[in-house]
Amino acid sequence: MTRMHTIEVENVTKEFGSLVAVEDANFQIKDGEFVSILGPSGSGKSTILRMVAGFETPTTGSIAIEGNEVVGVPPFERNSNMVFQNLALFPHLTVAENIEYGLKQANVDKETRQKRVSEMLETVRLEGYGDRQPDELSGGEQQRVALARAIVNEPAVVLFDEPLASLDRKLRQHMQFELQRIQAETGITFLYVTHDQDIALSISDRMIVLNEGAIQQIGTVEELYNAPMSQFVADFLGDLNAIPSTITDLSEEYVTLDTSEGTIDIELDAGGRNENLIHSDGLAEGEPVNLCLRPHEISLQTEPPGDGQPSVTGTVKSRMFRGNEIAYIIETRWDEFLVIEDAGNEQLTNGTPVHLTWSRAGTYLFTPANGTKPNPKPA
Amino acid sequence: MSALGSAFGWLERFCHNYGPKIGRSTIVIVLLALWLPIVLVVVMSFAADGVLSFPPDNLTLEWYFVFLENDAAISSVFTTMKVSLVATPITVALATMLSYGVSRYDFRGKSAIQGLVTLPIIVPLIVVGVALALFFGMINVGGGFWSVVAAHVVRTIPFAALIILPTFMTFDRSLEEASKDLGANELETFWNVTLPNIMPAIVAGGILAFTVSFNEFIYTYFVRGTGMETMPIYLWSRIQHNVTPEVNVLSVVFLVVAILLVLVAVLLTNISRLTMRS
């Protein structure tokens, strides 16, 4: 028997009146994967999740769970369970009764139900909490109950609609580890929706980045972080500083950019990051391009760099101490740049004129986005 | 301006100094106004004299024995109970279905429903009473048990809806989604999740509907025809002849039956547990 994908989403579009919430979404999720759908609010990520769960119907396209088409199948006949944003624990039932609910609907006999419930309480580390009411539990404990309720029936996939958003940072981090542990223990496929790139980067195997209803890029967290295909993805997965420029010369090995602070040569075969430049294939001389730099890749110095190393100038605007590193806001002619340096380096005072340099490998070239919507490139 | 300012200053000092005292006195006055007449009625039901004068010279149970031998009075108690116990479930069912529909589905004029359902409370009772009598006459349904029940349903629906509708509107629909997500179909979801969570409102609406129906006089008076004598109607006919302590006995019985039935409803539905949880 061939192994099906747990979830296959094919050409799914969802319109609410004239609003296109999701536009031609295509992706597959393998059995046992932990995948995040990441996007700003209003990007359509919850709509995708609710279509998989069966609470919304796609306008066009098809969704399959374990190889079975589910469009038109009501939520109670789908092999998926959801952890809701507000958790939606049944207030009139105890913790154990909440977890038992799905088993009862599946007509599991009472003995097995009790056994499964106590196993679940153990899995989510809530032994002895079975007789409590949900509102007697802390936020983190309620999250665990919601999770236990969603995995007790061993569905093909558990869907998460940003349930950790309401927790404080420390508890959220703790729950992220718990989610990973439980996913590894149970082997159930997890599909997690969030607007928080830190959560998505830290918990998932693969990410689907969404903007304004359209999928921007799909890949492992490393791929998306290191080789983003658009400025939107790069910016969303970590801060990005952009220097607007125009291509003045293009050859096999070099591209020459004209910025309002002189010309900068970028080597095109500089190793790993070349990937990014290749993605700007098709660009011709005279076209605009953004030279983008991650905050960690920039170094600050008070003296101008020698031997033709590219640099731009700016002024220190403010400085934030962050323990082992220092974040600087640098006023440049384009925008305020965020630069992060090791705390061991010489500290610069506000108002100091500085030169910003970067390693060759630390640059990204992107076509400037029109508004907030970059041009997605097919994978 | 300064006069106004000093007036406010005075008011503020006054409230600060005498606030707790005013609050306590208000509570006493309101409670007296509510309960003194009831206490008087109960005391006077034991009065030995044939006339109503307070305080009674001697206390007696005589009038209770008179009541127990009065078949018309006792049958009026049972008539009232029958009418209210039939009308209340109908009212609760209709108000619940209406609230479910309004909270679930979109249709034109939906926002006006809440007003339209509860507004009849302010229409003069006699006007509606006459209208009901004319209507039953027009469709050739004379007075009788079911006419009175129908009138009571008309009378009590606004009260039940007043309580049940807002609860449905504020009910967290994600609980129903969670139920369906876990394998329960629409009907199972309503039964297992929706109903238990709105039960406090349904019980409260039902108790209010019941007490309104139990006390209902005006609609009943117009549509009862002949023979149907609920307790308020019987009381009314009695005091038109002469006022004896038996009227007080009737009032006490009325009060006790009403309180008992409400208590039974509360116990049966475990409302305190439900309200505590929600």
Side-chain angles (χ1 to χ4, degrees):
Chain A
M1 197 178 114
T2 51
R3 182 74 237 174
M4 297 280 183
H5 282 114
T6 302
I7 295 179
E8 286 160 291
V9 169
E10 233 179 270
N11 303 350
V12 165
T13 294
K14 175 67 180 175
E15 292 164 10
F16 293 107
S18 60
L19 176 86
V20 182
V22 176
E23 199 183 338
D24 198 26
N26 284 283
F27 62 87
Q28 288 91 34
I29 295 173
K30 290 194 286 281
D31 196 27
E33 260 194 312
F34 197 144
V35 176
S36 292
I37 301 181
L38 178 65
S41 41
S43 58
K45 54 193 190 304
S46 286
T47 307
I48 290 183
L49 203 70
R50 291 175 60 79
M51 287 192 286
V52 175
F55 299 125
E56 307 284 355
T57 311
T59 310
T60 57
S62 88
I63 298 173
I65 298 179
E66 292 186 311
N68 303 313
E69 175 66 40
V70 291
V71 172
V73 176
F76 46 87
E77 286 169 12
R78 294 189 186 199
N79 196 8
S80 67
N81 285 131
M82 184 138 153
V83 177
F84 288 79
Q85 185 161 25
N86 69 352
L87 304 183
L89 296 175
F90 303 126
H92 61 296
L93 301 178
T94 64
V95 167
E97 285 166 345
N98 263 280
I99 299 172
E100 194 186 6
Y101 192 87
L103 296 170
K104 252 185 174 167
Q105 301 309 320
N107 294 319
V108 176
D109 66 273
K110 195 174 178 198
E111 214 171 298
T112 318
R113 289 206 306 260
Q114 285 172 344
K115 198 171 127 273
R116 291 285 295 137
V117 168
S118 64
E119 279 170 12
M120 277 301 120
L121 286 170
E122 209 174 300
T123 303
V124 298
R125 311 220 159 119
L126 283 177
E127 298 100 324
Y129 281 67
D131 292 331
R132 306 262 192 106
Q133 296 296 322
D135 59 6
E136 292 168 19
L137 306 186
S138 72
E141 289 162 349
Q142 290 180 359
Q143 302 265 347
R144 290 154 188 271
V145 177
L147 179 61
R149 188 178 69 174
I151 60 178
V152 71
N153 280 38
E154 294 175 338
V157 59
V158 175
L159 310 166
F160 296 83
D161 192 6
E162 300 211 44
L164 302 184
S166 60
L167 299 182
D168 63 63
R169 198 176 62 90
K170 210 152 190 180
L171 197 52
R172 197 165 58 227
Q173 276 175 355
H174 180 69
M175 279 307 292
Q176 289 172 24
F177 285 119
E178 287 288 283
L179 278 185
Q180 286 183 308
R181 175 181 67 80
I182 289 164
Q183 202 251 348
E185 271 177 27
T186 58
I188 299 174
T189 309
F190 279 15
L191 181 56
Y192 194 102
V193 154
T194 182
H195 68 277
D196 185 329
Q197 70 276 17
D198 291 332
I199 291 183
L201 283 169
S202 53
I203 61 175
S204 33
D205 304 321
R206 284 198 304 146
M207 290 196 293
I208 297 166
V209 180
L210 204 64
N211 188 35
E212 294 188 346
I215 293 179
Q216 304 298 311
Q217 195 174 347
I218 303 177
T220 65
V221 289
E222 292 83 4
E223 274 167 16
L224 263 70
Y225 190 83
N226 294 322
M229 289 193 298
S230 64
Q231 193 173 334
F232 174 82
V233 173
D235 203 13
F236 203 65
L237 294 179
D239 297 293
L240 205 64
N241 302 304
I243 302 172
S245 56
T246 313
I247 298 172
T248 52
D249 194 18
L250 192 61
S251 73
E252 285 292 303
E253 285 121 25
Y254 281 93
V255 57
T256 305
L257 304 176
D258 186 28
T259 75
S260 32
E261 270 195 30
T263 58
I264 294 171
D265 285 338
I266 306 275
E267 226 175 310
L268 279 185
D269 56 351
R273 286 284 163 75
N274 253 352
E275 281 290 306
N276 308 307
L277 306 184
I278 288 162
H279 285 306
S280 52
D281 232 354
L283 289 182
E285 288 169 18
E287 286 190 67
V289 71
N290 282 345
L291 172 60
C292 297
L293 302 159
R294 292 257 190 235
H296 282 99
E297 310 275 9
I298 302 176
S299 35
L300 300 174
Q301 51 194 79
T302 44
E303 298 300 314
D307 54 12
Q309 195 187 355
S311 73
V312 293
T313 58
T315 314
V316 176
K317 194 186 175 199
S318 63
R319 187 178 68 184
M320 280 168 289
F321 180 68
R322 289 189 187 166
N324 57 351
E325 56 187 31
I326 297 175
Y328 290 98
I329 301 289
I330 308 294
E331 188 87 63
T332 69
R333 67 178 63 229
W334 304 285
D335 208 348
E336 288 178 357
F337 279 18
L338 176 68
V339 177
I340 295 175
E341 295 239 301
D342 286 343
N345 292 1
E346 181 200 1
Q347 298 210 4
L348 300 162
T349 51
N350 293 353
T352 312
V354 285
H355 297 268
L356 290 72
T357 60
W358 53 88
S359 61
R360 276 193 320 192
T363 54
Y364 300 92
L365 288 184
F366 293 119
T367 48
N370 305 321
T372 55
K373 193 165 183 173
N375 307 316
K377 295 242 163 53
Chain B
M1 187 61 212
S2 70
L4 200 66
S6 71
F8 272 123
W10 178 85
L11 192 67
E12 188 142 329
R13 270 194 307 282
F14 182 81
C15 288
H16 184 262
N17 293 336
Y18 299 101
K21 271 187 196 148
I22 297 169
R24 273 194 295 268
S25 332
T26 312
I27 291 170
V28 169
I29 291 168
V30 169
L31 286 182
L32 277 179
L34 286 175
W35 284 98
L36 202 58
I38 294 172
V39 170
L40 276 179
V41 164
V42 173
V43 170
M44 291 309 290
S45 73
F46 296 103
D49 320 300
V51 281
L52 294 175
S53 71
F54 191 84
D57 297 331
N58 292 302
L59 298 179
T60 174
L61 283 174
E62 183 198 340
W63 298 106
Y64 281 83
F65 291 114
V66 170
F67 164 75
L68 284 177
E69 279 165 22
N70 184 343
D71 290 341
I74 289 182
S75 102
S76 78
V77 174
F78 282 105
T79 304
T80 306
M81 280 174 65
K82 260 194 284 184
V83 169
S84 295
L85 289 177
V86 171
T88 304
I90 297 175
T91 293
V92 169
L94 288 175
T96 305
M97 284 159 70
L98 172 118
S99 306
Y100 188 87
V102 170
S103 67
R104 258 352 90 109
Y105 308 114
D106 276 323
F107 49 88
R108 268 166 62 120
K110 176 175 156 160
S111 54
I113 293 279
Q114 190 155 4
L116 288 175
V117 166
T118 50
L119 218 56
I121 288 176
I122 63 163
V123 176
L125 297 175
I126 293 176
V127 174
V128 182
V130 171
L132 280 171
L134 289 175
F135 173 73
F136 287 135
M138 220 168 69
I139 62 170
N140 276 326
V141 176
F145 180 76
W146 290 107
S147 300
V148 173
V149 167
H152 279 220
V153 171
V154 169
R155 175 86 176 107
T156 52
I157 275 186
F159 292 95
L162 197 61
I163 292 178
I164 298 174
L165 189 54
T167 310
F168 262 103
M169 299 300 271
T170 56
F171 178 70
D172 180 5
R173 298 286 303 278
S174 69
L175 293 180
E176 290 174 345
E177 288 188 345
S179 168
K180 285 181 215 165
D181 189 61
L182 291 163
N185 63 30
E186 298 276 352
L187 203 64
E188 290 165 334
T189 294
F190 181 79
W191 190 253
N192 294 333
V193 172
T194 315
L195 201 58
N197 280 293
I198 53 154
M199 206 47 165
I202 290 184
V203 171
I207 287 175
L208 186 60
F210 175 80
T211 44
V212 169
S213 161
F214 207 71
N215 278 306
E216 157 51 37
F217 174 74
I218 295 178
Y219 286 13
T220 318
Y221 186 83
F222 280 103
V223 304
R224 73 196 180 97
T226 52
M228 277 294 293
E229 203 153 55
T230 62
M231 188 115 168
I233 300 285
Y234 178 75
L235 269 176
W236 172 246
S237 66
R238 278 307 304 256
I239 61 171
Q240 280 181 320
H241 299 301
N242 62 338
V243 181
T244 66
E246 196 196 349
V247 172
N248 290 324
V249 170
L250 277 169
S251 309
V252 172
V253 169
F254 191 67
L255 193 72
V256 169
V257 170
I259 290 174
L260 278 181
L261 287 172
V262 169
L263 276 181
V264 167
V266 170
L267 288 176
L268 279 181
T269 51
N270 233 338
I271 191 174
S272 60
R273 197 175 68 113
L274 286 167
T275 46
M276 205 182 69
R277 281 197 191 179
S278 61

